[in-house]
Amino acid sequence: MPEIKVKHVVSCSTEDTTHKADNLLSSDTYRKWKAAKPGEKQISVILQFEKEEHLHSIDIGNEGSAFIEVLVGNSSAVRDQDYQVVLPLKLGDCDRFCFTFGHSLF
């Protein structure tokens, strides 16, 4: 499957000075986004695609998170209720899918 083109970062809750959310727009292999401070309780990023897309898989790198959640919505979404959860993943689920520090393809 070809990669889906991300148009831009709509917003992010926090970002490291080196590992900015804009790194997720890069088509090369270095696409890290990290929180400004290690151990932050919750961080989020909202990405907008070029056009409506069907997701067949998603590649997520994890550096110590206990919970990962992927939500989807359309560009008219204005409240949290306008998004649908497509991937809730708790640390216990990672026994099957991933390591606390690593990459997983869902």
Side-chain angles (χ1 to χ4, degrees):
M1 284 282 133
E3 285 192 15
I4 294 173
K5 178 75 173 145
V6 178
K7 184 176 181 180
H8 72 278
V9 174
V10 177
S11 67
C12 75
S13 58
T14 179
E15 61 185 2
D16 180 76
T17 56
T18 303
H19 303 96
K20 295 183 174 291
D22 284 343
N23 289 352
L24 299 172
L25 305 177
S26 176
S27 61
D28 58 9
T29 57
Y30 185 76
R31 294 179 276 180
K32 276 190 178 178
W33 163 59
K34 290 184 175 183
K37 296 179 284 184
E40 289 198 38
K41 187 171 175 82
Q42 181 175 339
I43 63 173
S44 64
V45 64
I46 298 176
L47 305 172
Q48 183 172 351
F49 297 150
E50 291 280 339
K51 59 185 176 56
E52 184 177 300
E53 297 281 359
H54 288 271
L55 297 176
H56 298 280
S57 64
I58 186 166
D59 187 5
I60 298 175
N62 182 20
E63 195 166 316
S65 299
F67 183 79
I68 298 170
E69 188 173 54
V70 177
L71 298 100
V72 297
N74 60 39
S75 58
S76 65
V78 292
R79 301 174 312 213
D80 289 343
Q81 296 88 351
D82 293 334
Y83 293 95
Q84 287 185 307
V85 176
V86 294
L87 177 67
L89 188 64
K90 299 181 293 291
L91 188 57
D93 297 336
C94 279
D95 294 342
R96 285 184 41 219
F97 298 111
C98 58
F99 300 101
T100 305
F101 294 91
H103 252 93
S104 292
L105 184 63
F106 300 92

XYZ file of all heavy atoms in Angstrom:
838
model
N 0.834 -1.191 0.000
C 0.000 0.000 0.000
C 0.877 1.251 0.000
O 1.842 1.333 0.735
C -0.867 0.039 1.260
C -2.049 -0.890 1.277
S -3.370 -0.224 0.286
C -3.782 -1.689 -0.614
N 0.504 2.237 -0.779
C 1.255 3.498 -0.756
C 0.963 4.281 0.523
O -0.079 4.091 1.152
C 0.723 4.243 -1.982
C -0.609 3.645 -2.253
C -0.557 2.228 -1.767
N 1.901 5.140 0.883
C 1.688 5.979 2.054
C 0.649 7.052 1.747
O 0.557 7.534 0.630
C 2.991 6.651 2.471
C 3.939 5.725 3.155
C 5.086 6.458 3.821
O 5.010 7.683 3.996
O 6.058 5.790 4.173
N -0.109 7.414 2.761
C -1.108 8.471 2.627
C -0.425 9.811 2.874
O 0.325 9.969 3.823
C -2.263 8.258 3.626
C -3.019 6.978 3.255
C -3.196 9.454 3.650
C -4.072 6.581 4.256
N -0.693 10.767 2.030
C -0.105 12.091 2.141
C -0.829 12.884 3.226
O -2.039 13.046 3.195
C -0.210 12.814 0.799
C 0.313 14.217 0.793
C 1.813 14.244 0.808
C 2.276 15.677 0.631
N 3.444 16.002 1.359
N -0.058 13.353 4.206
C -0.607 14.209 5.254
C -0.427 15.650 4.807
O 0.674 16.079 4.471
C 0.104 13.979 6.608
C -0.455 14.911 7.662
C -0.041 12.527 7.043
N -1.521 16.389 4.792
C -1.495 17.774 4.309
C -0.787 18.702 5.289
O 0.110 19.442 4.922
C -2.922 18.247 4.059
C -3.039 19.615 3.468
C -4.496 19.935 3.161
C -4.628 21.301 2.541
N -6.033 21.601 2.241
N -1.213 18.651 6.555
C -0.568 19.494 7.561
C -0.963 19.066 8.979
O -1.892 18.294 9.166
C -0.873 20.980 7.342
C -2.270 21.392 7.671
N -3.325 21.219 6.819
C -2.785 21.976 8.777
C -4.431 21.685 7.383
N -4.135 22.147 8.567
N -0.211 19.580 9.937
C -0.525 19.368 11.349
C -1.533 20.445 11.738
O -1.231 21.633 11.677
C 0.743 19.469 12.227
C 0.377 19.393 13.699
C 1.744 18.379 11.860
N -2.730 20.041 12.110
C -3.770 20.975 12.529
C -3.424 21.541 13.902
O -3.478 22.751 14.111
C -5.157 20.294 12.546
C -6.223 21.246 13.063
C -5.512 19.768 11.163
N -3.049 20.660 14.822
C -2.655 21.094 16.169
C -1.891 19.978 16.864
O -1.993 18.819 16.482
C -3.877 21.479 17.000
O -4.667 20.343 17.264
N -1.141 20.365 17.872
C -0.513 19.376 18.748
C -0.467 19.985 20.147
O -0.356 21.195 20.305
C 0.861 18.952 18.260
S 2.181 20.127 18.508
N -0.558 19.122 21.140
C -0.641 19.609 22.513
C 0.725 19.990 23.078
O 0.817 20.844 23.959
C -1.288 18.546 23.400
O -0.536 17.344 23.330
N 1.787 19.380 22.582
C 3.138 19.642 23.060
C 4.117 19.080 22.048
O 3.785 18.168 21.301
C 3.368 18.994 24.444
O 4.700 19.258 24.875
C 3.146 17.503 24.424
N 5.329 19.628 22.015
C 6.344 19.073 21.132
C 7.734 19.431 21.626
O 7.951 20.495 22.202
C 6.158 19.522 19.682
C 6.242 20.999 19.441
C 5.925 21.403 18.016
O 5.590 20.555 17.173
O 6.012 22.600 17.741
N 8.652 18.529 21.413
C 10.056 18.706 21.741
C 10.659 19.688 20.731
O 10.167 19.826 19.618
C 10.733 17.326 21.620
C 12.198 17.363 21.924
O 12.547 17.441 23.108
O 13.002 17.304 20.972
N 11.721 20.375 21.116
C 12.333 21.349 20.203
C 12.952 20.682 18.984
O 13.010 21.281 17.912
C 13.404 22.192 20.924
O 14.366 21.310 21.507
C 12.782 23.062 21.995
N 13.386 19.444 19.113
C 13.966 18.703 17.982
C 12.931 17.835 17.289
O 12.888 17.765 16.074
C 15.126 17.802 18.466
O 16.091 18.616 19.121
C 15.769 17.070 17.308
N 12.109 17.160 18.056
C 11.140 16.202 17.521
C 9.752 16.853 17.438
O 8.832 16.494 18.162
C 11.112 14.949 18.389
C 12.452 14.305 18.518
N 13.287 14.549 19.580
C 13.111 13.460 17.694
C 14.402 13.862 19.413
N 14.322 13.194 18.271
N 9.615 17.790 16.534
C 8.375 18.549 16.376
C 7.309 17.729 15.640
O 7.632 16.797 14.900
C 8.652 19.834 15.608
C 9.567 20.782 16.360
C 9.736 22.072 15.577
C 10.509 23.083 16.364
N 9.804 23.602 17.512
N 6.063 18.103 15.820
C 4.965 17.407 15.159
C 5.086 17.488 13.645
O 4.677 16.569 12.933
C 3.625 17.980 15.619
N 5.673 18.545 13.108
C 5.860 18.664 11.661
C 6.725 17.544 11.091
O 6.673 17.272 9.893
C 6.469 20.023 11.297
C 5.454 21.152 11.363
O 4.234 20.863 11.372
O 5.873 22.319 11.395
N 7.519 16.884 11.931
C 8.306 15.737 11.465
C 7.414 14.632 10.911
O 7.841 13.846 10.074
C 9.166 15.160 12.598
C 10.317 16.060 12.970
O 10.600 17.052 12.316
N 10.988 15.706 14.054
N 6.168 14.558 11.386
C 5.237 13.534 10.916
C 4.840 13.749 9.464
O 4.315 12.850 8.816
C 3.984 13.512 11.805
C 4.243 13.192 13.276
C 2.971 13.396 14.079
C 4.778 11.783 13.445
N 5.099 14.937 8.918
C 4.772 15.234 7.521
C 5.849 14.741 6.567
O 5.619 14.640 5.364
C 4.611 16.751 7.326
C 3.598 17.451 8.225
C 3.617 18.938 7.959
C 2.217 16.879 8.015
N 7.009 14.429 7.081
C 8.148 14.035 6.261
C 7.928 12.675 5.624
O 7.420 11.754 6.256
C 9.406 14.011 7.126
O 10.493 13.551 6.388
N 8.335 12.542 4.385
C 8.185 11.261 3.694
C 9.415 10.369 3.879
O 9.392 9.214 3.492
C 7.932 11.484 2.206
O 9.028 12.173 1.634
N 10.479 10.898 4.470
C 11.641 10.047 4.715
C 11.454 9.270 6.013
O 10.418 9.352 6.672
C 12.949 10.852 4.721
C 12.965 11.966 5.767
O 12.035 12.009 6.593
O 13.896 12.779 5.744
N 12.433 8.497 6.396
C 12.264 7.580 7.524
C 12.323 8.240 8.890
O 11.917 7.651 9.877
C 13.328 6.467 7.462
O 14.614 7.085 7.447
C 13.148 5.613 6.234
N 12.829 9.462 9.003
C 12.933 10.129 10.300
C 11.677 10.944 10.556
O 11.568 12.083 10.133
C 14.177 11.026 10.342
C 14.394 11.633 11.696
C 14.899 10.874 12.744
C 14.069 12.956 11.942
C 15.089 11.418 13.990
C 14.264 13.511 13.195
C 14.767 12.735 14.203
O 14.943 13.272 15.440
N 10.690 10.346 11.247
C 9.417 11.022 11.472
C 9.009 10.988 12.930
O 7.895 10.646 13.257
C 8.337 10.384 10.622
C 8.577 10.586 9.142
C 7.526 9.923 8.363
N 7.895 8.520 8.224
C 7.185 7.630 7.588
N 6.063 7.952 7.038
N 7.589 6.393 7.507
N 9.907 11.333 13.832
C 9.593 11.297 15.262
C 8.923 12.575 15.725
O 9.302 13.670 15.332
C 10.860 11.110 16.082
C 11.292 9.694 16.236
C 12.396 9.599 17.249
C 12.791 8.154 17.424
N 13.881 8.002 18.369
N 7.929 12.390 16.604
C 7.304 13.498 17.323
C 7.325 13.100 18.791
O 6.918 11.994 19.150
C 5.880 13.712 16.831
C 5.042 14.540 17.755
C 5.290 15.820 18.162
C 3.823 14.146 18.405
N 4.301 16.250 19.018
C 3.388 15.234 19.179
C 3.073 12.985 18.405
C 2.233 15.193 19.943
C 1.922 12.943 19.161
C 1.502 14.049 19.917
N 7.832 13.975 19.627
C 7.911 13.702 21.058
C 7.343 14.874 21.845
O 7.316 16.008 21.365
C 9.361 13.498 21.492
C 9.993 12.221 20.996
C 11.384 12.089 21.586
C 12.038 10.796 21.251
N 13.353 10.663 21.901
N 6.951 14.581 23.071
C 6.470 15.614 23.985
C 7.625 16.523 24.392
O 8.791 16.142 24.328
C 5.859 14.972 25.226
N 7.294 17.717 24.833
C 8.314 18.673 25.270
C 9.091 18.143 26.468
O 10.299 18.346 26.575
C 7.670 20.014 25.607
N 8.395 17.444 27.374
C 9.046 16.880 28.561
C 8.718 15.393 28.651
O 7.556 15.013 28.480
C 8.546 17.576 29.829
C 8.899 19.050 29.919
C 8.342 19.665 31.179
C 6.844 19.856 30.969
N 6.150 20.519 32.035
N 9.712 14.548 28.925
C 9.430 13.120 29.108
C 8.444 12.906 30.254
O 8.450 13.629 31.241
C 10.795 12.524 29.459
C 11.795 13.519 28.978
C 11.132 14.862 29.077
N 7.590 11.908 30.101
C 6.657 11.554 31.162
C 5.379 12.361 31.194
O 4.615 12.256 32.156
N 5.122 13.181 30.171
C 3.860 13.936 30.164
C 2.693 12.960 30.162
O 2.726 11.922 29.516
C 3.804 14.862 28.947
C 4.776 16.021 29.075
C 4.462 17.166 28.144
O 3.267 17.454 27.953
O 5.403 17.763 27.626
N 1.653 13.300 30.895
C 0.522 12.402 31.098
C -0.256 12.123 29.814
O -0.641 11.002 29.535
C -0.411 12.972 32.161
C -1.525 12.033 32.556
C -2.256 12.555 33.753
C -3.438 11.709 34.096
N -3.118 10.535 34.860
N -0.484 13.138 29.004
C -1.261 12.955 27.784
C -0.774 13.941 26.736
O -0.583 15.124 27.029
C -2.746 13.191 28.062
C -3.623 12.995 26.860
C -5.096 13.129 27.226
O -5.488 12.993 28.381
N -5.911 13.403 26.243
N -0.571 13.449 25.516
C -0.217 14.325 24.406
C -1.088 13.947 23.215
O -1.598 12.831 23.129
C 1.287 14.242 24.039
C 1.675 12.857 23.551
C 2.135 14.649 25.237
C 3.091 12.780 23.014
N -1.286 14.880 22.313
C -2.117 14.587 21.144
C -1.658 15.405 19.952
O -1.064 16.471 20.097
C -3.590 14.891 21.450
O -3.756 16.270 21.702
N -1.939 14.871 18.790
C -1.673 15.575 17.536
C -2.865 15.317 16.610
O -3.430 14.222 16.603
C -0.339 15.118 16.885
C -0.378 13.661 16.481
C 0.018 15.986 15.696
N -3.262 16.345 15.880
C -4.328 16.214 14.884
C -3.705 16.470 13.528
O -3.106 17.526 13.296
C -5.484 17.199 15.152
C -6.115 16.901 16.508
C -6.521 17.120 14.023
C -7.200 17.885 16.913
N -3.846 15.493 12.625
C -3.297 15.585 11.276
C -4.428 15.661 10.269
O -5.470 15.025 10.456
C -2.445 14.346 10.964
C -1.320 14.032 11.940
C -0.700 12.683 11.604
C -0.276 15.122 11.916
N -4.224 16.407 9.218
C -5.215 16.471 8.148
C -4.614 15.869 6.888
O -3.509 16.224 6.480
C -5.650 17.909 7.873
C -6.736 17.977 6.810
C -7.324 19.362 6.655
O -7.052 20.257 7.435
N -8.135 19.523 5.641
N -5.350 14.942 6.262
C -4.909 14.330 5.016
C -5.270 15.229 3.841
O -6.112 16.127 3.957
C -5.564 12.962 4.812
C -5.204 11.943 5.861
C -6.094 10.957 6.208
C -3.977 11.950 6.496
C -5.780 10.002 7.154
C -3.640 11.010 7.446
C -4.543 10.030 7.781
N -4.659 14.954 2.690
C -4.958 15.700 1.459
C -6.429 15.539 1.085
O -7.072 16.471 0.638
C -4.084 15.194 0.304
C -2.624 15.531 0.441
C -2.313 16.955 0.027
O -3.103 17.553 -0.719
O -1.285 17.469 0.484
N -6.932 14.296 1.242
C -8.318 13.994 0.884
C -8.805 12.852 1.772
O -8.019 12.272 2.516
C -8.424 13.602 -0.591
C -7.590 12.402 -0.976
C -7.662 12.153 -2.472
C -6.788 11.041 -2.954
N -6.947 9.752 -2.377
N -10.070 12.529 1.703
C -10.607 11.408 2.463
C -9.891 10.135 2.042
O -9.659 9.905 0.860
C -12.107 11.280 2.182
C -12.789 10.215 2.993
C -14.275 10.179 2.729
O -14.936 11.211 2.965
O -14.760 9.130 2.281
N -9.513 9.321 3.019
C -8.727 8.117 2.754
C -9.289 6.914 3.502
O -9.930 7.066 4.533
C -7.270 8.310 3.199
C -6.516 9.390 2.485
C -6.026 8.980 1.112
O -6.256 7.818 0.693
O -5.409 9.827 0.443
N -9.018 5.731 2.980
C -9.293 4.480 3.681
C -7.976 4.017 4.295
O -6.991 3.851 3.567
C -9.813 3.402 2.726
C -11.199 3.654 2.254
N -12.304 3.195 2.935
C -11.669 4.327 1.191
C -13.390 3.584 2.301
N -13.034 4.277 1.241
N -7.950 3.828 5.595
C -6.747 3.354 6.270
C -6.758 1.833 6.303
O -7.726 1.227 6.761
C -6.677 3.899 7.692
C -6.574 5.403 7.855
C -6.609 5.777 9.330
C -5.309 5.927 7.212
N -5.689 1.233 5.815
C -5.559 -0.224 5.846
C -4.619 -0.665 6.958
O -4.739 -1.754 7.480
C -5.056 -0.740 4.495
C -5.994 -0.430 3.381
N -7.126 -1.177 3.140
C -6.002 0.563 2.474
C -7.779 -0.660 2.106
N -7.120 0.397 1.694
N -3.678 0.196 7.304
C -2.757 -0.092 8.408
C -2.158 1.222 8.878
O -2.224 2.238 8.184
C -1.646 -1.051 7.962
O -0.851 -0.453 6.958
N -1.588 1.181 10.072
C -0.945 2.373 10.624
C 0.299 1.911 11.388
O 0.262 0.900 12.087
C -1.915 3.176 11.524
C -1.268 4.472 11.972
C -2.419 2.354 12.677
C -2.259 5.456 12.573
N 1.383 2.621 11.210
C 2.658 2.293 11.832
C 2.906 3.296 12.953
O 3.005 4.490 12.708
C 3.759 2.377 10.773
C 5.104 1.894 11.274
O 5.184 1.406 12.417
O 6.086 2.017 10.519
N 2.993 2.794 14.198
C 3.148 3.666 15.362
C 4.409 3.292 16.111
O 4.605 2.121 16.458
C 1.931 3.547 16.310
C 0.659 3.990 15.598
C 2.162 4.366 17.582
C -0.593 3.783 16.417
N 5.239 4.278 16.372
C 6.393 4.084 17.237
C 6.011 4.481 18.654
O 5.283 5.435 18.863
N 6.491 3.740 19.630
C 6.122 3.987 21.021
C 7.380 4.095 21.871
O 8.251 3.244 21.799
C 5.235 2.853 21.527
C 4.780 3.075 22.946
O 4.793 4.190 23.443
N 4.367 2.012 23.605
N 7.456 5.120 22.661
C 8.597 5.298 23.555
C 8.111 5.454 24.991
O 8.198 6.515 25.590
C 9.428 6.507 23.129
C 10.790 6.530 23.761
C 11.718 7.523 23.104
O 11.777 7.603 21.866
O 12.383 8.247 23.865
N 7.523 4.383 25.522
C 7.135 4.359 26.921
C 5.687 4.666 27.227
O 5.317 4.766 28.387
N 4.834 4.796 26.224
C 3.425 5.099 26.483
C 2.697 3.871 27.002
O 2.911 2.758 26.531
C 2.730 5.569 25.196
O 3.336 6.725 24.713
N 1.802 4.076 27.962
C 0.989 2.994 28.492
C -0.319 2.845 27.731
O -0.965 1.814 27.809
C 0.692 3.235 29.971
N -0.703 3.842 26.972
C -1.979 3.812 26.253
C -1.825 4.590 24.957
O -1.310 5.708 24.958
C -3.081 4.446 27.116
C -4.444 4.398 26.497
C -5.196 3.233 26.529
C -4.981 5.507 25.881
C -6.463 3.184 25.965
C -6.245 5.470 25.311
C -6.989 4.302 25.356
N -2.234 3.993 23.860
C -2.215 4.651 22.555
C -3.618 4.551 21.985
O -4.244 3.488 22.029
C -1.222 3.966 21.594
C 0.193 4.065 22.141
C -1.321 4.574 20.197
C 1.197 3.217 21.402
N -4.103 5.649 21.454
C -5.447 5.669 20.892
C -5.404 6.429 19.572
O -4.808 7.500 19.483
C -6.393 6.360 21.867
C -7.835 6.284 21.492
C -8.713 6.846 22.596
O -8.495 7.992 23.022
O -9.619 6.130 23.028
N -6.026 5.853 18.552
C -6.134 6.508 17.255
C -7.605 6.803 17.014
O -8.447 5.906 17.107
C -5.573 5.620 16.115
C -5.769 6.284 14.763
C -4.100 5.310 16.357
N -7.895 8.074 16.741
C -9.259 8.491 16.456
C -9.307 9.064 15.049
O -8.316 9.627 14.571
C -9.715 9.557 17.459
C -9.759 9.118 18.908
C -8.533 9.616 19.624
C -10.998 9.610 19.572
N -10.448 8.935 14.393
C -10.618 9.506 13.059
C -11.877 10.356 13.029
O -12.806 10.161 13.799
C -10.700 8.418 11.961
C -9.403 7.636 11.883
C -11.877 7.482 12.185
N -11.879 11.311 12.137
C -13.029 12.186 11.951
C -12.870 12.914 10.634
O -11.898 12.704 9.906
N -13.815 13.778 10.328
C -13.668 14.560 9.109
C -13.319 15.995 9.468
O -13.354 16.384 10.637
C -14.918 14.471 8.222
C -16.154 14.986 8.915
O -16.105 15.978 9.636
N -17.283 14.325 8.703
N -12.975 16.785 8.476
C -12.477 18.142 8.742
C -13.530 19.055 9.362
O -13.192 20.110 9.879
C -11.923 18.763 7.468
O -12.919 18.802 6.468
N -14.795 18.648 9.368
C -15.829 19.472 9.998
C -15.987 19.144 11.481
O -16.787 19.764 12.166
C -17.163 19.297 9.272
O -17.626 17.970 9.423
N -15.220 18.166 11.986
C -15.310 17.782 13.403
C -14.859 18.948 14.273
O -13.806 19.513 14.059
C -14.454 16.556 13.679
N -15.690 19.312 15.227
C -15.361 20.444 16.091
C -15.304 20.062 17.569
O -14.778 20.806 18.370
C -16.359 21.618 15.913
C -16.199 22.244 14.549
C -17.780 21.166 16.154
N -15.841 18.906 17.911
C -15.833 18.453 19.298
C -15.244 17.051 19.356
O -15.210 16.337 18.362
C -17.261 18.399 19.845
C -17.988 19.720 19.819
C -19.406 19.480 20.234
N -19.918 18.344 19.476
C -21.159 18.203 19.081
N -22.044 19.083 19.380
N -21.536 17.146 18.393
N -14.808 16.642 20.537
C -14.266 15.296 20.710
C -15.266 14.223 20.303
O -14.897 13.164 19.833
C -13.847 15.064 22.164
C -12.597 15.849 22.533
O -11.887 16.305 21.614
O -12.350 15.999 23.739
N -16.557 14.497 20.475
C -17.583 13.516 20.153
C -17.682 13.278 18.642
O -18.296 12.315 18.207
C -18.957 13.959 20.668
C -19.042 14.052 22.162
C -18.607 15.427 22.686
O -18.084 16.263 21.961
N -18.801 15.646 23.965
N -17.077 14.139 17.838
C -17.130 14.002 16.390
C -16.069 13.037 15.850
O -15.987 12.804 14.661
C -16.961 15.359 15.710
C -18.136 16.294 15.987
O -19.245 15.788 16.243
O -17.934 17.514 15.951
N -15.248 12.485 16.747
C -14.214 11.536 16.359
C -14.604 10.129 16.787
O -15.261 9.939 17.796
C -12.876 11.898 17.009
C -12.290 13.196 16.498
C -12.507 14.393 17.165
C -11.517 13.212 15.347
C -11.973 15.579 16.704
C -10.976 14.397 14.872
C -11.202 15.574 15.557
O -10.683 16.746 15.098
N -14.179 9.124 16.004
C -14.431 7.733 16.337
C -13.112 7.055 16.677
O -12.109 7.255 15.988
C -15.054 6.987 15.163
C -16.489 7.340 14.896
C -17.027 6.447 13.786
O -16.440 6.356 12.723
N -18.133 5.800 14.059
N -13.123 6.219 17.690
C -11.933 5.461 18.077
C -11.794 4.279 17.120
O -12.713 3.491 16.961
C -12.047 4.950 19.529
C -10.852 4.071 19.883
C -12.165 6.111 20.493
N -10.627 4.170 16.476
C -10.364 3.021 15.607
C -9.280 2.119 16.192
O -9.147 0.979 15.786
C -9.979 3.435 14.170
C -11.144 4.098 13.486
C -8.752 4.325 14.144
N -8.516 2.639 17.142
C -7.472 1.820 17.757
C -7.270 2.232 19.203
O -6.545 3.176 19.489
C -6.148 1.957 17.003
C -4.969 1.195 17.606
C -5.182 -0.305 17.497
C -3.681 1.597 16.921
N -7.927 1.532 20.132
C -7.566 1.742 21.532
C -6.551 0.670 21.901
O -6.754 -0.500 21.634
C -8.888 1.520 22.269
C -9.619 0.542 21.410
C -9.137 0.755 19.993
N -5.447 1.050 22.472
C -4.409 0.089 22.813
C -3.848 0.428 24.184
O -3.312 1.507 24.387
C -3.293 0.125 21.772
C -2.210 -0.928 21.864
C -2.798 -2.313 21.634
C -1.118 -0.650 20.857
N -4.031 -0.501 25.135
C -3.494 -0.318 26.481
C -2.208 -1.125 26.610
O -1.941 -2.007 25.808
C -4.513 -0.792 27.512
C -5.820 -0.033 27.482
C -6.766 -0.518 28.537
C -7.263 -1.909 28.347
N -8.148 -2.166 27.246
N -1.431 -0.838 27.631
C -0.156 -1.509 27.833
C -0.320 -3.022 27.839
O 0.474 -3.743 27.269
C 0.497 -1.027 29.128
C 1.920 -1.501 29.387
C 2.838 -1.109 28.246
C 2.437 -0.938 30.689
N -1.366 -3.543 28.456
C -1.599 -4.989 28.479
C -1.806 -5.572 27.095
O -1.421 -6.698 26.814
N -2.396 -4.796 26.179
C -2.597 -5.244 24.809
C -1.274 -5.381 24.076
O -1.153 -6.133 23.122
C -3.478 -4.261 24.029
C -4.875 -4.138 24.607
O -5.325 -5.096 25.282
O -5.502 -3.094 24.398
N -0.278 -4.634 24.513
C 1.015 -4.634 23.843
C 1.723 -5.971 23.950
O 2.647 -6.235 23.195
C 1.914 -3.530 24.389
S 1.547 -1.935 23.669
N 1.314 -6.831 24.880
C 1.931 -8.156 24.966
C 1.785 -8.878 23.632
O 2.663 -9.613 23.221
C 1.277 -8.984 26.073
C 1.535 -8.406 27.453
O 2.475 -7.601 27.588
O 0.786 -8.752 28.383
N 0.688 -8.657 22.970
C 0.448 -9.290 21.673
C 1.047 -8.497 20.522
O 1.457 -9.061 19.518
C -1.062 -9.408 21.425
C -1.707 -10.485 22.229
C -3.177 -10.648 21.897
N -3.469 -10.563 20.483
C -4.548 -9.954 19.996
N -5.405 -9.378 20.790
N -4.771 -9.924 18.705
N 1.072 -7.164 20.612
C 1.359 -6.353 19.448
C 2.708 -5.639 19.442
O 3.243 -5.375 18.390
C 0.273 -5.276 19.275
C -1.089 -5.828 19.053
C -2.064 -5.694 20.025
C -1.402 -6.495 17.888
C -3.336 -6.199 19.820
C -2.665 -7.009 17.685
C -3.627 -6.861 18.646
N 3.213 -5.250 20.591
C 4.348 -4.334 20.552
C 5.176 -4.395 21.827
O 4.844 -5.100 22.757
C 3.861 -2.911 20.331
S 2.710 -2.322 21.589
N 6.214 -3.636 21.825
C 7.051 -3.440 22.997
C 6.807 -2.024 23.499
O 6.374 -1.164 22.766
C 8.523 -3.622 22.649
C 8.820 -5.004 22.112
C 8.962 -5.215 20.748
C 8.938 -6.079 22.967
C 9.235 -6.468 20.256
C 9.204 -7.346 22.481
C 9.352 -7.551 21.115
N 7.152 -1.767 24.766
C 6.978 -0.432 25.309
C 7.833 0.582 24.545
O 7.444 1.710 24.348
C 7.340 -0.411 26.806
O 6.560 -1.416 27.455
C 7.008 0.927 27.426
N 8.997 0.142 24.104
C 9.853 0.973 23.276
C 10.016 0.259 21.953
O 10.724 -0.727 21.862
C 11.230 1.191 23.923
C 11.155 1.990 25.183
C 11.012 1.374 26.404
C 11.220 3.364 25.137
C 10.930 2.106 27.567
C 11.128 4.121 26.304
C 10.988 3.481 27.515
N 9.344 0.700 20.917
C 9.466 0.029 19.645
C 8.449 0.499 18.635
O 7.835 1.542 18.791
N 8.277 -0.294 17.608
C 7.373 0.019 16.512
C 6.370 -1.106 16.348
O 6.710 -2.275 16.520
C 8.175 0.128 15.201
C 8.294 1.500 14.710
N 9.360 2.306 15.030
C 7.492 2.244 13.925
C 9.217 3.480 14.458
N 8.083 3.458 13.779
N 5.161 -0.768 15.977
C 4.144 -1.763 15.679
C 3.361 -1.310 14.459
O 3.130 -0.135 14.239
C 3.180 -1.935 16.842
O 3.845 -2.508 17.924
N 2.950 -2.285 13.677
C 2.125 -2.033 12.508
C 0.769 -2.657 12.761
O 0.672 -3.840 13.036
C 2.776 -2.641 11.255
C 2.094 -2.383 9.937
C 2.086 -0.885 9.621
C 2.788 -3.150 8.832
N -0.285 -1.843 12.736
C -1.632 -2.324 13.018
C -2.452 -2.318 11.746
O -2.315 -1.502 10.911
C -2.312 -1.436 14.073
C -1.558 -1.408 15.359
C -0.598 -0.428 15.610
C -1.787 -2.367 16.311
C 0.091 -0.406 16.790
C -1.095 -2.346 17.498
C -0.157 -1.369 17.738
